[in-house]
Amino acid sequence: MAAADRREQILAVALDVFATGGYHETTLDAVAARAGISKALIYEHFESKRELHGALLERYVHELLERVVSAIAELADHEDRLRAGVDAFLGFVAERRDAWRFVFRNFADPEIAVAVARLREEIAAMIAGLMRADAPAEWVDEPEMVAEIEMIAQQLTGGFQALANWWDEHRDVPRARVLQAFMDFAWVGLERGAAGERWQR
Amino acid sequence: MAAADRREQILAVALDVFATGGYHETTLDAVAARAGISKALIYEHFESKRELHGALLERYVHELLERVVSAIAELADHEDRLRAGVDAFLGFVAERRDAWRFVFRNFADPEIAVAVARLREEIAAMIAGLMRADAPAEWVDEPEMVAEIEMIAQQLTGGFQALANWWDEHRDVPRARVLQAFMDFAWVGLERGAAGERWQR
DNA sequence: ACTCTAACTGACTCATGAGTCAGTTAGCGG
DNA sequence: CCGCTAACTGACTCATGAGTCAGTTAGAGT
């Protein structure tokens, strides 16, 4: 078997094994066994367990981010951006089931935490943009309001993550309905915010 | 040192150590060192590492559940129940910081998964109750609507969890505001549902 | 002062899993 | 048919961490 093919096969098997247990729970012996090769061969392709794990992490976090970012790219309207970003995320969950589980299992990992924080900031900025449209600008930047925005962003991202994970185990539900469920839920809050109903105490 | 006191001390130290790393990341040697005792002494009080971990899990999951359930107990109105339950949960996060982190780190654990599922069902039932008030009863029990309700419940619980965790690192924000942020966010969606705006396609 | 026991320890065994190495095989160019 | 190298393996080392055991100490009761 050619080296490049073998490397890909090891990555594929490792993705699967890492996706069911976490990092500490999975052993390279198990990966080797599942791939039908000896453990030593894994070390021909990867320096260490960490490197193997890191290669997967980088590959799929990058892909996920890529999808979201490029989906958002040319959209200006806040609602369009949110919908497109979330839909792209759902696309990843739908098409890369193992990868999603793998990523989800590693949400504590620094690399992922950074990516999630980035998305959260994106959403926070979107909310701030909405608020600015209806409230005095300096109001929006006050620490009280900043905290308010952060809390909404936390709830949106946390809620979405839970929803995505639920969908992973209810694939019969069409993607469009999941997207709609999120938009309904998120947007009513934001819409209200946009209408200035909530921000003025 | 009396046996009962020592047992409590070990539990306290173990809570702290387990709360920073997960189960696999923490060693009993580390717990013993932090407690200033030998590892063997831990085994005088607990059968195994699992049992020590399990004792903590049971204690605090039980306490958390207790708080929520007893806060909800005598309330009938759906909004009151949601507010009281969430506030009780926040009380736990506020008063038992280490315990919250410990519990949070173990969200993958079956025992916790079961408890969370129970709370989620509680919320799903509440949503269904709201819907029933405004929509034909048989409509609510259709599989399509059941999925819809589950998705909302997922978002509520997932969003709240993220919010609670955020609060854990932003203690300066008053508890009442966190509660309000959640209620604002959740209730606009539910209120709309109650008004029958969303359920009739 | 003398047990007797509960609290406690240091030094062990044993299993597991990461990482290594001295090779063996297979297939391909000459 | 030979030899050369890339792919591959079995059997190892080594570190770590769970769990054990043969004791030692301290202090309460007589």
Side-chain angles (χ1 to χ4, degrees), chain A residues 1-111:
Chain A
M1 193 164 184
D5 293 349
R6 180 65 81 191
R7 193 186 148 93
E8 283 308 310
Q9 188 221 355
I10 292 171
L11 281 168
V13 170
L15 177 69
D16 195 36
V17 179
F18 276 127
T20 51
Y23 181 83
H24 289 283
E25 281 83 354
T26 70
T27 71
L28 291 193
D29 288 293
V31 173
R34 280 278 304 271
I37 58 176
S38 73
K39 186 172 57 167
L41 185 51
I42 294 176
Y43 283 91
E44 294 274 317
H45 295 276
F46 301 93
E47 287 274 322
S48 66
K49 184 184 180 183
R50 271 247 98 84
E51 199 207 291
L52 172 58
H53 185 263
L56 286 168
L57 204 58
E58 214 213 330
R59 174 179 289 195
Y60 291 111
V61 168
H62 186 265
E63 182 185 331
L64 175 53
L65 232 53
E66 240 292 304
R67 283 181 183 234
V68 172
V69 168
S70 78
I72 285 181
E74 308 202 339
L75 302 173
D77 179 67
H78 289 310
E79 180 167 359
D80 290 347
R81 284 167 71 80
L82 186 59
R83 171 174 281 115
V86 165
D87 188 50
F89 201 118
L90 288 176
F92 180 81
V93 175
E95 290 157 31
R96 305 269 188 189
R97 193 168 200 182
D98 285 348
W100 162 246
R101 286 178 181 180
F102 171 75
V103 169
F104 180 73
R105 285 226 167 246
N106 286 280
F107 256 79
D109 187 282
E111 190 176 351

Side-chain angles (χ1 to χ4, degrees), chain B residues 29 35 43 57 62 73 77 88 92 95 98 102 105-106 109 135 138-139 141 144 154 162-163 169 174 184 192-193:
Chain B
D29 289 292
Y43 283 91
L57 204 56
H62 187 265
D77 178 68
F92 180 82
E95 289 158 32
D98 284 349
F102 171 76
R105 284 228 167 246
N106 287 280
D109 186 282
E138 60 296 353
W139 179 252
D141 298 317
E144 281 224 334
Q154 288 288 339
L163 182 62
E169 264 145 32
D184 281 355
R192 267 212 164 185

Side-chain angles (χ1 to χ4, degrees), chain B:
Chain B
M1 193 167 184
D5 293 349
R6 180 64 82 190
R7 193 187 148 93
E8 283 307 311
Q9 188 221 355
I10 293 171
L11 282 168
V13 170
L15 176 69
D16 194 36
V17 179
F18 277 127
T20 51
Y23 181 83
H24 288 282
E25 282 83 352
T26 71
T27 71
L28 290 193
D29 289 292
V31 173
R34 280 279 305 270
I37 58 175
S38 73
K39 186 171 57 167
L41 185 50
I42 295 176
Y43 283 91
E44 294 275 316
H45 294 276
F46 301 93
E47 287 274 322
S48 65
K49 184 184 180 183
R50 271 248 96 83
E51 199 207 292
L52 172 58
H53 186 262
L56 287 168
L57 204 56
E58 214 212 330
R59 173 179 290 195
Y60 292 111
V61 168
H62 187 265
E63 181 185 332
L64 176 53
L65 233 53
E66 239 293 303
R67 284 180 181 233
V68 172
V69 168
S70 79
I72 285 181
E74 308 201 339
L75 302 173
D77 178 68
H78 288 309
E79 181 167 359
D80 291 345
R81 285 167 69 80
L82 187 59
R83 170 173 282 116
V86 164
D87 189 50
F89 201 119
L90 289 176
F92 180 82
V93 175
E95 289 158 32
R96 306 270 187 186
R97 192 167 201 185
D98 284 349
W100 162 246
R101 286 180 181 178
F102 171 76
V103 169
F104 180 73
R105 284 228 167 246
N106 287 280
F107 256 79
D109 186 282
E111 189 177 351
I112 293 185
V114 166
V116 171
R118 238 206 309 278
L119 290 176
R120 204 132 54 200
E121 278 163 31
E122 180 80 30
I123 289 175
M126 180 179 348
I127 299 168
L130 279 167
M131 285 175 59
R132 260 182 252 279
D134 298 281
E138 60 296 353
W139 179 252
V140 176
D141 298 317
E142 260 174 62
E144 281 224 334
M145 279 302 107
V146 171
E148 212 77 30
I149 292 172
E150 276 184 38
M151 287 194 284
I152 295 176
Q154 288 288 339
Q155 290 187 81
L156 280 177
T157 50
F160 174 71
Q161 184 189 313
L163 182 62
N165 225 37
W166 175 89
W167 188 41
D168 183 40
E169 264 145 32
H170 296 78
R171 289 298 175 102
D172 48 308
V173 177
R175 172 170 162 186
R177 278 194 60 208
V178 179
L179 175 61
Q180 194 55 43
F182 176 80
M183 291 304 292
D184 281 355
F185 194 75
W187 208 253
V188 284
L190 299 181
E191 210 172 40
R192 267 212 164 185
E197 287 177 43
R198 278 180 64 222
W199 319 116
Q200 353 269 353
R201 184 117 317 201

